[in-house]
Amino acid sequence: MSIQMGELGSVSRSSSWRTPAIIILCGCAIGMLGFGPRSALGFFVQPMSHEYAWGRDVFGLAIAFQNLLWGLGQPVAGAVADRFGLFRVMCVGALLYAGGLLLMRYSSTPLSLNIGAGVMVGFGLAGCSFNLVLSAFTKLLPAEKRGLALGAGTAAGSFGQFLFAPIGVALIDNFGWQQALTVFGFLMLLIIPLSLALSTPPVASAANAAPADQQTFTKALAEAFGHRSYVLLVLGFFTCGFQLAFITVHLPAFLVDSGISTQIGGWVIAAIGLFNIMGSLSVGYLQNSLPKRYILSTIYFTRALATLAFISFPITPFSAIAFGAVSGLTWLSTVPPTSALVAIMFGTRWFATLYGFAFVSHQVGGFLGVWLGGIVFERFGSYTPIWWLSILFGVLSALINLPIVEKPVQRTVAQPA
């Protein structure tokens, strides 16, 4: 029942200064920086749309591309990091992320917006976001520290959301949206020195390696997608992406449409980030003693109930912040049990790759959540159909996760006669 450890011990001891505390601290800083600006992009919808006379579908499509390409790029970035080490991947990702935000700052056409905010930021996130941080934690840290570290890494992304949402609003209000994007872009360059603490060495094949370490890329994929529990996990993760991306991009505008000020909208997004710190850390702790499939099912069902309550009553500053708080408790708390289940099923050798493919499902959901949100609003003048679709997906994912089996996949190993 133990997780295949692979190179864990030797990697964590390869550099004396890279203690578990340093690895966790630097990884959390990267998670905060990587997740912060992209979670605040919803506040740029209205100023950019007003300046260039765009509909919300234009901005929504660019961020939808971002979510999709982040997802499609994640298994590629994960495979490269698994095979050749993580540091180079993070450097390239940080440069793409920074460049995309700066290009977004100078975008005056939908095409340039799609390239900057969509393509460059999307692929940049694949290379330097919290997903690879979690992969590094899984590979570099001993098993007894891994659960809380995964929760802390996820919570750090939420702290970035809590921090960058009000900062983004303040920068836009006082200096303009162009200067806000410039500041965000240069901050992303801090990821490069921080990623030194998370670097993993290239993997060399060994004749006496464990079965998980001898496994090829194609065999790992065939094993994962032939495993029923992994497929259920991937399908359920779709809902997480759909709900998070829709709320991140469209909730600020939805609140303004409902008569709530932009400043309150900033604090709602910040509340999501703040409460998700508690949610992620709590789930990181609880998953050591409770079945992870039940945790995931509870999270998805709670989201569905929170959304139903939110849209069923008049929208007020109190109800908006309350929705942000409840949503925050379940926001990214799906990530620690999802990533832990991948490691339990398949070990750590191809963890970044297999978690990356699960994240593709998450980001396909994110693409549809953002894109459909813009399309539905432009056509009907309301987000109501998407809210109800989010509730339906939440209930379905709550049911999908229940049959997951939490144990390592059975591999054929040569036995003595």
Side-chain angles (χ1 to χ4, degrees):
M1 295 290 290
S2 61
I3 300 173
Q4 295 96 325
M5 298 292 288
E7 69 278 9
L8 271 174
S10 60
V11 172
S12 62
R13 293 191 294 269
S14 60
S15 299
S16 58
W17 66 273
R18 292 197 302 159
T19 63
I22 293 295
I23 291 170
I24 293 172
L25 182 64
C26 290
C28 287
I30 293 171
M32 178 192 71
L33 287 169
F35 202 77
R38 61 93 46 192
S39 67
L41 291 182
F43 297 106
F44 294 86
V45 173
Q46 290 189 313
M48 293 188 72
S49 297
H50 288 159
E51 180 148 347
Y52 298 117
W54 294 338
R56 292 182 192 176
D57 54 332
V58 173
F59 197 96
L61 182 62
I63 305 303
F65 275 127
Q66 177 194 115
N67 280 277
L68 182 62
L69 295 177
W70 181 8
L72 294 177
Q74 196 66 64
V76 177
V80 174
D82 278 336
R83 180 63 184 88
F84 299 104
L86 186 139
F87 177 68
R88 295 179 182 86
V89 177
M90 282 214 160
C91 288
V92 173
L95 291 173
L96 281 173
Y97 197 166
L101 289 172
L102 292 175
L103 179 58
M104 183 180 171
R105 179 248 186 273
Y106 292 101
S107 295
S108 58
T109 66
L111 177 61
S112 58
L113 181 68
N114 285 331
I115 294 173
V119 177
M120 293 180 68
V121 173
F123 283 133
L125 283 163
C128 68
S129 68
F130 69 93
N131 294 304
L132 287 186
V133 170
L134 300 184
S135 172
F137 286 174
T138 302
K139 290 174 179 287
L140 297 174
L141 296 174
E144 64 272 14
K145 296 181 182 293
R146 195 177 300 151
L148 277 176
L150 293 174
T154 306
S158 300
F159 183 73
Q161 180 171 327
F162 169 74
L163 189 65
F164 276 80
I167 287 176
V169 172
L171 287 172
I172 292 170
D173 288 345
N174 291 284
F175 303 102
W177 62 268
Q178 295 95 336
Q179 286 72 22
L181 286 170
T182 301
V183 172
F184 283 177
F186 280 104
L187 284 175
M188 294 309 97
L189 298 178
L190 294 174
I191 291 174
I192 295 175
L194 289 168
S195 62
L196 284 168
L198 304 185
S199 60
T200 56
V203 175
S205 60
N208 59 347
D213 296 327
Q214 295 175 339
Q215 197 176 39
T216 65
F217 174 80
T218 54
K219 287 182 179 179
L221 290 187
E223 178 183 71
F225 283 100
H227 191 55
R228 180 172 176 264
S229 291
Y230 178 77
V231 173
L232 292 175
L233 188 67
V234 168
L235 291 174
F237 217 23
F238 170 92
T239 292
C240 184
F242 184 93
Q243 294 170 330
L244 267 59
F246 169 68
I247 290 174
T248 298
V249 174
H250 292 289
L251 181 62
F254 170 79
L255 293 175
V256 171
D257 294 340
S258 302
I260 306 298
S261 69
T262 303
Q263 288 73 25
I264 294 295
W267 285 110
V268 172
I269 299 297
I272 292 174
L274 178 63
F275 278 84
N276 191 47
I277 295 172
M278 294 182 280
S280 297
L281 289 174
S282 298
V283 167
Y285 174 78
L286 290 173
Q287 70 176 9
N288 291 325
S289 56
L290 296 177
K292 296 166 185 61
R293 64 188 184 277
Y294 294 157
I295 293 175
L296 287 170
S297 182
T298 301
I299 289 170
Y300 287 123
F301 191 65
T302 301
R303 283 187 191 172
L305 289 179
T307 302
L308 178 62
F310 179 56
I311 66 173
S312 297
F313 296 97
I315 307 299
T316 66
F318 175 79
S319 71
I321 293 176
F323 175 70
V326 176
S327 296
L329 290 174
T330 64
W331 190 250
L332 286 175
S333 54
T334 59
V335 173
T338 299
S339 55
L341 282 170
V342 173
I344 287 173
M345 293 176 194
F346 307 108
T348 62
R349 170 64 182 89
W350 291 105
F351 172 83
T353 306
L354 298 180
Y355 178 74
F357 274 101
F359 195 69
V360 171
S361 175
H362 184 283
Q363 293 307 97
V364 169
F367 171 84
L368 291 175
V370 176
W371 181 56
L372 288 177
I375 292 292
V376 167
F377 182 85
E378 290 300 318
R379 182 162 299 179
F380 301 105
S382 170
Y383 290 114
T384 300
I386 305 300
W387 286 118
W388 283 105
L389 194 58
S390 177
I391 294 169
L392 174 63
F393 286 158
V395 173
L396 291 176
S397 286
L399 297 174
I400 284 173
N401 278 273
L402 290 176
I404 289 175
V405 178
E406 302 182 28
K407 64 181 181 180
V409 64
Q410 296 298 314
R411 293 191 173 103
T412 302
V413 180
Q415 301 290 338

